[in-house]
Amino acid sequence: MNNPGRKRGLVFSLLVFLAFSFFILFPASAASPANPIEIYIYGEKKDFEVYPLLIEGTTLLPMRAIFECLGAKVDWDPIIRQITANKGTTNILLTVDNTTAYINSVPQQLTRPPQTRGK
């Protein structure tokens, strides 16, 4: 595994997996106006125009901003309300209001469906 591009792809895949399995399940008690949710990528705090949103104990994060921060190319299809993120050999497909995401064509169940929000 001496290929730096492959290592970066694996790191990106791992971070995506963590975003789906850990960040989305961030405890509800951690967020409040006095204690906002902070997002760190590679140890650096990130501030985004769209802030995390708590819905019934699940924290939804601004995935477009996070994907772009990780260097992924992001596309949005407003007709079918679908976002794709691509970096190297990793491809992610999310559809608004659908709890099934696809990572490299493999279905992954989400706790809550993705949604859109105005800025």
Side-chain angles (χ1 to χ4, degrees):
M1 168 114 27
N2 290 331
N3 183 341
R6 182 168 169 79
K7 286 181 183 177
R8 279 189 221 108
L10 289 174
V11 168
F12 177 72
S13 296
L14 178 61
L15 287 172
V16 167
F17 175 77
L18 290 174
F20 287 129
S21 62
F22 175 71
F23 292 130
I24 291 177
L25 298 175
F26 199 85
S29 61
S32 71
N35 187 22
I37 297 167
E38 296 178 344
I39 300 172
Y40 289 82
I41 297 177
Y42 298 125
E44 182 180 330
K45 183 179 176 194
K46 299 293 181 180
D47 292 312
F48 300 115
E49 289 181 27
V50 177
Y51 293 98
L53 177 67
L54 267 174
I55 299 179
E56 297 174 1
T58 299
T59 304
L60 301 178
L61 299 173
M63 294 309 297
R64 171 186 275 283
I66 290 172
F67 287 149
E68 288 175 344
C69 218
L70 293 170
K73 180 180 181 283
V74 179
D75 291 307
W76 166 249
D77 185 329
I79 295 170
I80 58 176
R81 300 175 55 185
Q82 201 166 67
I83 189 167
T84 56
N86 302 293
K87 182 174 181 186
T89 59
T90 303
N91 301 298
I92 299 161
L93 177 73
L94 299 167
T95 304
V96 173
D97 298 328
N98 187 331
T99 57
T100 302
Y102 294 88
I103 301 175
N104 292 336
S105 301
V106 177
Q108 303 288 324
Q109 279 306 119
L110 303 175
T111 304
R112 292 195 63 85
Q115 66 181 47
T116 59
R117 268 194 307 167
K119 293 180 187 176

